[in-house]
Structures are given as structure tokens and as C-alpha cells.
Amino acid sequence: MNAGRWFLPASVAAVTTSLIATLGATITVLGPWYQGLRQPSWAPPDIAFGPAWTLIFGLCAIAAVTAWMAAPTRDSANNLIGLFAINGFLNLLWSFLFFRAQRPDLAGWEVWILWASIATLIVACGRVSRTAAWLLVPYLLWVTFAGLLNAAVVVLNRPFT
């Protein structure tokens, strides 16, 4: 295996993932508004979200590199990177809607679009690398959980305007 061949994909994935994670953390404000929301009894403590997202973003970066390297053509690789970029945007949009716009109701709809983008990524990556696809399964499971948590927050705290 040629280590130089992996340098560009790994560098792009590391920088992009770090930027998305940093932007997401910047958007996520756990201030008085968030602290005042009623949470379901099964909600994890706030401290659990940072490590969970760190692991998920790490797995996403590895999946992106693995799929990029396994893609049979440049067009195929570019399409995969495009799907990852759309997913990153949707991830940030959810954080913006929930935390900055303070609209868990809108975020509750958007999270399922995010979920569909992850499912699409799993299918697309699976066409070139089963490993890349499996690396994204924890992300799908976490966003499924987050979607259910989002829905519970909406029910416990509505209406939002």
C-alpha cells in the first residue's frame, strides 16, 4: 500500500471533519434556553454528546477516506465526496435549527432528512466498500436516537414559534 496515495484523502477528510465538528460545536449553545427545556427521562447527560459526536465524526472521516480510495473512478469518488458534503451541511443545519434558531420543531423535521442522507451514504459507500458502509452505521443509529430525542423534546415543550 502506497502511503502517499492516502495522504490527500486523509488530509481532506481530517480537515473537513474538524471544520464541521468545530462549526457544530460553535452553533451548539447549551445556555439558559436549552437548559430550560424539559427533557425525557431517558435523555443522556449533556456530557455524553461530545464523546459520541467525536467518535461518530472520526468514523465518518475514516469511512470517507475508505470509500474515496475504493471508488473505481474519479467521478464515483467525487459523487461520494459530494454526498458527504451534503451530509455535513445537513448536520450543521440541524444544530442551527435546534440551538440557534431555537426551533426543535423544525429541527425535528430536518433530522429525518439528515437520517436519509446517512442512509444514502451507507448505500453509496457500500457499493464501493463494505467497510466504509459499516463505519457509518453508528452515525445512523445515533441520529435515529437523536431524532427520537428531538421528537420527545418537542412534545414536552411545544409550542415553538
Side-chain angles (χ1 to χ4, degrees):
M1 172 170 59
N2 181 352
R5 185 172 170 250
W6 286 84
F7 182 77
L8 178 62
S11 298
V12 169
V15 169
T16 303
T17 303
S18 296
L19 285 172
I20 291 171
T22 300
L23 283 170
T26 301
I27 293 169
T28 303
V29 178
L30 301 181
W33 174 82
Y34 175 77
Q35 296 300 330
L37 291 174
R38 287 181 300 236
Q39 300 282 341
S41 61
W42 47 270
D46 292 342
I47 197 165
F49 289 91
W53 278 113
T54 299
L55 175 62
I56 286 164
F57 280 131
L59 292 172
C60 284
I62 295 167
V65 172
T66 303
W68 185 353
M69 297 304 297
T73 66
R74 176 169 278 191
D75 283 345
S76 176
N78 288 341
N79 289 339
L80 287 166
I81 297 308
L83 291 174
F84 275 97
I86 291 166
N87 179 264
F89 170 78
L90 291 170
N91 190 297
L92 291 171
L93 180 59
W94 181 89
S95 294
F96 175 81
L97 290 171
F98 193 100
F99 292 102
R100 287 295 173 147
Q102 298 180 353
R103 294 295 305 264
D105 54 335
L106 297 179
W109 290 103
E110 193 276 349
V111 74
W112 301 112
I113 298 168
L114 173 61
W115 188 96
S117 79
I118 300 164
T120 300
L121 270 174
I122 290 171
V123 170
C125 287
R127 291 184 180 137
V128 297
S129 168
R130 292 184 72 155
T131 300
W134 278 107
L135 287 167
L136 295 170
V137 170
Y139 185 19
L140 186 70
L141 295 173
W142 182 253
V143 169
T144 301
F145 175 75
L148 296 172
L149 182 58
N150 191 146
V153 167
V154 169
V155 168
L156 292 170
N157 295 279
R158 67 178 155 204
F160 295 96
T161 55

